[in-house]
Structures are given as structure tokens and as C-alpha cells.
Amino acid sequence: MRTRWFRLHAILACLVAALALLAACGGQPTPTPTQIAATPLAPASPPATSPPATPLATTAALPAPTPTVSPTVPTTTATTPPVTATPTLVPTPASTATATRAPAPPPPTAAPTQAPADTTGRPEAGYLDDRSTAEAVIRSYYDAINRREYARAYGYWERGVSPAQLPPFPQFQQGYADTASVRPTTGQVRGDVGAGQLYYSVPVVLDATTKAGASQRFAGCYVLHLGRPQIQTAPPFHPLAIQSASIREAPAGTDVAGLLADACAGQGQTSPLPPGATPGPAAIDGAGYLDDRSSADAALRSFYNAINRKEYARAYSYWEPGAEALQQMPPFDQFQQGYAQTAAMRLTTGPAFTGAGAGSLYFSVPVTLRATT
């Protein structure tokens, strides 16, 4: 009896121990060392990450990038032309106006200087090439003589002048071989009008110095001619030019005022002209006549002065010969038509930069243009 109870007690103890072991191990059997080595380790799960931050409201509200577009030309003021009627500011041949940019002229061999040598783009100090008035032509003529620029001086004479007035160029140049300098003094300019032609008489006294140092005084009268630019409706344009001259040596000690008073007697131009002031740097409107090539700035102002006065043949003449062949210029008829809707132009220039190469001078002039249609 005692033995049977002990056995039952032992069985119960084993059952309790087994239940305790199952509770401690979660009901799973304990793997053996062999099973641990043979079971591959599962890859570790990636650490939990926080969801991406929500963009701030200010960032999310920014508009999408806008493509860059050319600004629209404002049309709110009367002086700004509408986009559809923009005048031809720098004429471009029709064949290349919307396709490709016209080829640029050959650059000079020397790069332009970094600082402007002359803010107006004057070739050299004292260079004068002005045909705005009869007096300006005479002063430009003797400026060329004093600078030994005889071809330029010859160019101030009108084409077709008789050899009695103007000898062939070699003889003309030789006539100044012994001249060191000439200082002109001009008197009251008189004028006359006939059949669309303008004539001017300019009395002059010339004080010359020879290369040997001798002084001489001459007096006389220059007659200049200009076909009205309004009736010169096709190239080539013929500018104000010397048509004839009557110069004689004056006796030593003769009074300058007396010489000027009688210099143009009998020339026929009896109407005294008021001493017209040369237009100011910004005066390119049609009120004055400006034909000045003394500097790059002056040439541009003269060009737009001609445009404002509807003198298109004169405007066309400011372009270098051959520009049309380089496709920088359209034919004259197309050039003129390009300004058909243009009423007036205003020009502002910046400092001119210059460069030299192979005996030529080049000028770069920044400009702004304001057109009224």
C-alpha cells in the first residue's frame, strides 16, 4: 500500500514539473545545439523609419517655374510703337529678317580698347568732317589740308567741276606741297535758291604758313551747292559741296574785315543767312539739318536726323559702301519702306569704344532708340 502511494506521488510530481517546464518555455520545445547551428538566422527586419515629413505650407504653395519669355513692348504711351508696327531701326534684308541674323562685318585685327579714348568716337583730336552748313564745309576742307588728308579735301568739291576750277587730283595735291598750315577766317554767308537748288557764298581770308616759315594771306569767295535733300529721292546722295572758288593773294597788312566785306561781291547770292547754330548733341529732330561725320556719335545723329526729315537717300549714304553686298543693308526701296510708318526717332548714345587694325578704325557705339509711329 505504501509502495503504491509513493509511485502515485512520484508520477504527480513529474506531471507538475512537466507542466512548469511547459509554462516557462511557452509551450515550445527547446531546440538542441544541432538544431540551432542548422537553422539559418532570419534577416533582421529594417528598423522602422518615420514617414517623410510633409512639406511646409509655404513651400507647397510656391508656383511652378514660369518659362522665360521675351517682354512685351508696352503700348501705353504714345511714344512707344506697338509691337506689330515697330519701325525698321537698323534695316535688315527681308530674306534674313526673321530667319538668321545678318552677318557682322569683319572684326578689326586689334581688340577694342577697354576704356573709350573719346566718348564721341572721334578718329583723332581735331578731326572735322562736317557738311551741315557752308561754313562747316570750308572749315572741314582746310582741316583736311592741314592734316595732309588730300583725298578727303578733294572730296569736298562737287563732282563734275570743270578742270579750270578743280585740277586732277595729283596736281591738286602737289599744289599744297609747300604748305605747312592754313588758318581760314569766314565772313557773312549769303545764299540763294533756284529750282530746288541751294547756293551759298562764303567769304574767306586764308592765312597760310609755308614749310619754310613764310606767312602769306589770301582772300576770296567759295560758292557751295546743295540739291535740296527732299528732292534727292534715290542714291547716290550729293551732299553740300564746293562748286567754285575765287582766291587771290592779298597785299600785306590788308585789313581782314575789309577783305571779307568785298570777297564775294558779284557772286549773285545777295540774301544774308542768319548764322545758324549747329544742332546740339541730342537735336536730331527735323528742325535742323545735320550732316556731320566728324565722329561715330555725330554720324549716328546725322543718320537719324535724315530719317526724321524723311531724307532717305541721305540716310542711306551714311552706310558704308558694300554694306548691301554683305547683307547688312537691304536695297534702297526696301530700306525706305521700312520707315513708312515711322513719324519720329529719338536717339541716345553711350561712350564709343574704338579699335584699329590694318589702317582702319572701328567704333562700337551703344544706343537706345525711341520711335513714334
Side-chain angles (χ1 to χ4, degrees):
M1 187 69 181
R2 182 181 296 274
T3 301
R4 185 179 298 172
W5 179 87
F6 179 77
R7 290 178 179 174
L8 180 59
H9 180 75
I11 291 172
L12 290 174
C14 289
L15 288 173
V16 172
L19 290 173
L21 181 61
L22 288 173
C25 294
Q28 299 294 330
T30 303
T32 63
T34 302
Q35 289 174 323
I36 292 175
T39 304
L41 296 176
S45 301
T49 59
S50 300
T54 303
L56 296 177
T58 55
T59 302
L62 292 177
T66 304
T68 302
V69 297
S70 299
T72 303
V73 178
T75 58
T76 55
T77 61
T79 56
T80 304
V83 176
T84 56
T86 302
T88 306
L89 304 183
V90 179
T92 304
S95 59
T96 60
T98 57
T100 59
R101 182 185 296 271
T109 56
T113 55
Q114 294 300 314
D118 188 309
T119 56
T120 61
R122 189 179 297 274
E124 294 180 27
Y127 182 85
L128 183 64
D129 183 10
D130 189 358
R131 295 178 185 254
S132 303
T133 65
E135 182 184 6
V137 172
I138 299 303
R139 290 189 290 109
S140 299
Y141 175 72
Y142 282 103
D143 174 75
I145 295 296
N146 289 334
R147 295 166 63 91
R148 313 291 190 271
E149 298 167 357
Y150 300 115
R152 177 163 72 92
Y154 202 74
Y156 290 112
W157 284 82
E158 191 171 43
R159 300 174 187 177
V161 173
S162 68
Q165 281 291 327
L166 183 66
F169 176 71
Q171 185 179 343
F172 169 85
Q173 181 174 349
Q174 184 61 31
Y176 291 97
D178 295 328
T179 303
S181 64
V182 181
R183 181 170 59 87
T185 302
T186 60
Q188 175 67 61
V189 179
R190 296 177 179 269
D192 194 10
V193 178
Q197 310 300 309
L198 301 175
Y199 296 91
Y200 303 92
S201 297
V202 184
V204 297
V205 171
L206 305 173
D207 289 301
T209 303
T210 67
K211 291 182 178 179
S215 298
Q216 294 176 305
R217 175 168 287 177
F218 300 86
C221 183
Y222 281 94
V223 175
L224 292 85
H225 167 245
L226 173 66
R228 284 191 180 274
Q230 297 91 332
I231 67 174
Q232 296 193 52
T233 57
F237 176 76
H238 300 287
L240 180 61
I242 301 170
Q243 188 180 71
S244 64
S246 176
I247 306 295
R248 62 187 184 277
E249 189 169 2
T254 308
D255 178 64
V256 172
L259 290 173
L260 291 174
D262 298 332
C264 290
Q267 290 297 330
Q269 284 78 41
T270 58
S271 302
L273 299 179
T278 302
I284 65 168
D285 55 52
Y289 181 82
L290 184 63
D291 184 9
D292 188 0
R293 300 169 189 255
S294 303
S295 66
D297 177 75
L300 287 174
R301 290 189 290 110
S302 299
F303 172 77
Y304 285 106
N305 173 261
I307 295 296
N308 286 336
R309 291 170 61 92
K310 310 297 185 285
E311 298 167 359
Y312 300 114
R314 177 164 73 93
Y316 203 72
S317 73
Y318 292 108
W319 284 79
E320 189 171 41
E324 184 177 345
L326 295 174
Q327 295 186 341
Q328 288 288 329
M329 284 285 289
F332 174 70
D333 291 343
Q334 184 178 339
F335 168 85
Q336 179 173 326
Q337 184 60 33
Y339 291 98
Q341 301 300 318
T342 303
M345 299 289 298
R346 292 178 60 188
L347 168 72
T348 304
T349 62
F353 291 82
T354 181
S360 296
L361 297 176
Y362 299 86
F363 301 93
S364 300
V365 185
V367 304
T368 60
L369 300 169
R370 192 171 188 178
T372 302
T373 62

